[in-house]
PDB file of all heavy atoms in Angstrom:
ATOM      1  N   MET A  18       1.043   4.184  67.180  1.00  0.00           N
ATOM      2  CA  MET A  18       2.048   3.735  66.242  1.00  0.00           C
ATOM      3  C   MET A  18       1.750   4.273  64.848  1.00  0.00           C
ATOM      4  O   MET A  18       2.479   4.048  63.927  1.00  0.00           O
ATOM      5  CB  MET A  18       2.052   2.219  66.148  1.00  0.00           C
ATOM      6  CG  MET A  18       2.400   1.554  67.450  1.00  0.00           C
ATOM      7  SD  MET A  18       3.341   0.050  67.127  1.00  0.00           S
ATOM      8  CE  MET A  18       3.195  -0.711  68.710  1.00  0.00           C
ATOM      9  N   SER A  19       0.630   4.921  64.697  1.00  0.00           N
ATOM     10  CA  SER A  19       0.208   5.269  63.366  1.00  0.00           C
ATOM     11  C   SER A  19       0.656   6.661  62.978  1.00  0.00           C
ATOM     12  O   SER A  19       0.666   6.986  61.813  1.00  0.00           O
ATOM     13  CB  SER A  19      -1.303   5.207  63.261  1.00  0.00           C
ATOM     14  OG  SER A  19      -1.846   6.278  64.010  1.00  0.00           O
ATOM     15  N   GLY A  20       1.012   7.472  63.909  1.00  0.00           N
ATOM     16  CA  GLY A  20       1.406   8.818  63.580  1.00  0.00           C
ATOM     17  C   GLY A  20       0.254   9.780  63.555  1.00  0.00           C
ATOM     18  O   GLY A  20       0.467  10.991  63.503  1.00  0.00           O
ATOM     19  N   ARG A 149      -2.984  -4.063  58.034  1.00  0.00           N
ATOM     20  CA  ARG A 149      -1.924  -3.201  57.530  1.00  0.00           C
ATOM     21  C   ARG A 149      -0.859  -4.122  56.929  1.00  0.00           C
ATOM     22  O   ARG A 149      -0.504  -5.135  57.532  1.00  0.00           O
ATOM     23  CB  ARG A 149      -1.350  -2.307  58.625  1.00  0.00           C
ATOM     24  CG  ARG A 149      -0.909  -3.017  59.905  1.00  0.00           C
ATOM     25  CD  ARG A 149      -1.947  -3.049  61.012  1.00  0.00           C
ATOM     26  NE  ARG A 149      -2.424  -1.748  61.395  1.00  0.00           N
ATOM     27  CZ  ARG A 149      -1.771  -0.945  62.241  1.00  0.00           C
ATOM     28  NH1 ARG A 149      -0.634  -1.330  62.792  1.00  0.00           N
ATOM     29  NH2 ARG A 149      -2.262   0.212  62.566  1.00  0.00           N
ATOM     30  N   ARG A 181      13.831  -0.188  59.601  1.00  0.00           N
ATOM     31  CA  ARG A 181      13.884   0.166  61.017  1.00  0.00           C
ATOM     32  C   ARG A 181      14.449  -1.026  61.808  1.00  0.00           C
ATOM     33  O   ARG A 181      14.742  -2.064  61.226  1.00  0.00           O
ATOM     34  CB  ARG A 181      12.497   0.567  61.519  1.00  0.00           C
ATOM     35  CG  ARG A 181      11.550  -0.595  61.711  1.00  0.00           C
ATOM     36  CD  ARG A 181      10.116  -0.175  61.890  1.00  0.00           C
ATOM     37  NE  ARG A 181       9.955   0.860  62.904  1.00  0.00           N
ATOM     38  CZ  ARG A 181       8.877   1.631  63.035  1.00  0.00           C
ATOM     39  NH1 ARG A 181       7.839   1.465  62.217  1.00  0.00           N
ATOM     40  NH2 ARG A 181       8.802   2.545  63.967  1.00  0.00           N
ATOM     41  N   HIS A 185      11.845  -4.255  66.121  1.00  0.00           N
ATOM     42  CA  HIS A 185      10.533  -3.604  66.154  1.00  0.00           C
ATOM     43  C   HIS A 185       9.472  -4.662  65.858  1.00  0.00           C
ATOM     44  O   HIS A 185       9.675  -5.517  64.995  1.00  0.00           O
ATOM     45  CB  HIS A 185      10.476  -2.456  65.130  1.00  0.00           C
ATOM     46  CG  HIS A 185       9.217  -1.656  65.281  1.00  0.00           C
ATOM     47  ND1 HIS A 185       7.993  -2.045  64.751  1.00  0.00           N
ATOM     48  CD2 HIS A 185       8.968  -0.507  65.966  1.00  0.00           C
ATOM     49  CE1 HIS A 185       7.087  -1.174  65.081  1.00  0.00           C
ATOM     50  NE2 HIS A 185       7.633  -0.216  65.813  1.00  0.00           N
ATOM     51  N   TYR A 187       6.965  -4.781  64.036  1.00  0.00           N
ATOM     52  CA  TYR A 187       6.611  -4.946  62.620  1.00  0.00           C
ATOM     53  C   TYR A 187       7.584  -5.893  61.904  1.00  0.00           C
ATOM     54  O   TYR A 187       7.184  -6.690  61.073  1.00  0.00           O
ATOM     55  CB  TYR A 187       6.607  -3.614  61.875  1.00  0.00           C
ATOM     56  CG  TYR A 187       5.674  -2.552  62.405  1.00  0.00           C
ATOM     57  CD1 TYR A 187       5.850  -1.217  62.084  1.00  0.00           C
ATOM     58  CD2 TYR A 187       4.589  -2.865  63.214  1.00  0.00           C
ATOM     59  CE1 TYR A 187       4.977  -0.223  62.522  1.00  0.00           C
ATOM     60  CE2 TYR A 187       3.733  -1.907  63.698  1.00  0.00           C
ATOM     61  CZ  TYR A 187       3.938  -0.565  63.344  1.00  0.00           C
ATOM     62  OH  TYR A 187       3.085   0.414  63.794  1.00  0.00           O
ATOM     63  N   ASP A 223       9.455   3.732  59.797  1.00  0.00           N
ATOM     64  CA  ASP A 223       9.204   3.350  58.401  1.00  0.00           C
ATOM     65  C   ASP A 223       9.299   4.545  57.472  1.00  0.00           C
ATOM     66  O   ASP A 223       9.769   4.453  56.340  1.00  0.00           O
ATOM     67  CB  ASP A 223       7.815   2.704  58.267  1.00  0.00           C
ATOM     68  CG  ASP A 223       7.769   1.288  58.840  1.00  0.00           C
ATOM     69  OD1 ASP A 223       8.833   0.757  59.224  1.00  0.00           O
ATOM     70  OD2 ASP A 223       6.654   0.711  58.912  1.00  0.00           O
ATOM     71  N   ASN A 241       5.277   0.071  56.387  1.00  0.00           N
ATOM     72  CA  ASN A 241       3.864  -0.283  56.406  1.00  0.00           C
ATOM     73  C   ASN A 241       3.066   0.524  55.399  1.00  0.00           C
ATOM     74  O   ASN A 241       3.425   1.645  55.001  1.00  0.00           O
ATOM     75  CB  ASN A 241       3.286  -0.087  57.802  1.00  0.00           C
ATOM     76  CG  ASN A 241       3.583  -1.259  58.731  1.00  0.00           C
ATOM     77  OD1 ASN A 241       4.160  -2.248  58.315  1.00  0.00           O
ATOM     78  ND2 ASN A 241       3.157  -1.155  59.974  1.00  0.00           N
ATOM     79  N   TYR A 243       0.004   2.007  55.617  1.00  0.00           N
ATOM     80  CA  TYR A 243      -0.728   3.242  55.952  1.00  0.00           C
ATOM     81  C   TYR A 243       0.184   4.469  55.990  1.00  0.00           C
ATOM     82  O   TYR A 243      -0.264   5.581  55.779  1.00  0.00           O
ATOM     83  CB  TYR A 243      -1.469   3.104  57.302  1.00  0.00           C
ATOM     84  CG  TYR A 243      -0.621   2.642  58.450  1.00  0.00           C
ATOM     85  CD1 TYR A 243       0.102   3.528  59.238  1.00  0.00           C
ATOM     86  CD2 TYR A 243      -0.527   1.278  58.745  1.00  0.00           C
ATOM     87  CE1 TYR A 243       0.881   3.095  60.261  1.00  0.00           C
ATOM     88  CE2 TYR A 243       0.258   0.828  59.794  1.00  0.00           C
ATOM     89  CZ  TYR A 243       0.956   1.754  60.543  1.00  0.00           C
ATOM     90  OH  TYR A 243       1.755   1.299  61.574  1.00  0.00           O
ATOM     91  N   TYR A 244       1.511   4.233  56.245  1.00  0.00           N
ATOM     92  CA  TYR A 244       2.396   5.406  56.258  1.00  0.00           C
ATOM     93  C   TYR A 244       2.484   6.055  54.890  1.00  0.00           C
ATOM     94  O   TYR A 244       2.670   7.276  54.776  1.00  0.00           O
ATOM     95  CB  TYR A 244       3.813   4.993  56.686  1.00  0.00           C
ATOM     96  CG  TYR A 244       3.924   4.628  58.163  1.00  0.00           C
ATOM     97  CD1 TYR A 244       4.368   3.356  58.512  1.00  0.00           C
ATOM     98  CD2 TYR A 244       3.593   5.517  59.158  1.00  0.00           C
ATOM     99  CE1 TYR A 244       4.469   3.006  59.864  1.00  0.00           C
ATOM    100  CE2 TYR A 244       3.684   5.178  60.495  1.00  0.00           C
ATOM    101  CZ  TYR A 244       4.155   3.901  60.845  1.00  0.00           C
ATOM    102  OH  TYR A 244       4.248   3.546  62.160  1.00  0.00           O
ATOM    103  N   ASN A 315      -7.632   5.000  59.542  1.00  0.00           N
ATOM    104  CA  ASN A 315      -6.198   5.012  59.619  1.00  0.00           C
ATOM    105  C   ASN A 315      -5.544   4.420  58.361  1.00  0.00           C
ATOM    106  O   ASN A 315      -4.460   3.883  58.419  1.00  0.00           O
ATOM    107  CB  ASN A 315      -5.677   4.257  60.868  1.00  0.00           C
ATOM    108  CG  ASN A 315      -4.221   4.555  61.149  1.00  0.00           C
ATOM    109  OD1 ASN A 315      -3.758   5.670  60.933  1.00  0.00           O
ATOM    110  ND2 ASN A 315      -3.477   3.556  61.582  1.00  0.00           N
TER     111      ASN A 315
HETATM  112 FE1   FE B   4       2.825   2.288  62.987  1.00  0.00          FE
END
Side-chain angles (χ1 to χ4, degrees):
M18 298 215 196
S19 70
R149 52 265 304 278
R181 75 194 310 164
H185 188 278
Y187 300 162
D223 286 353
N241 277 358
Y243 53 87
Y244 290 121
N315 194 36

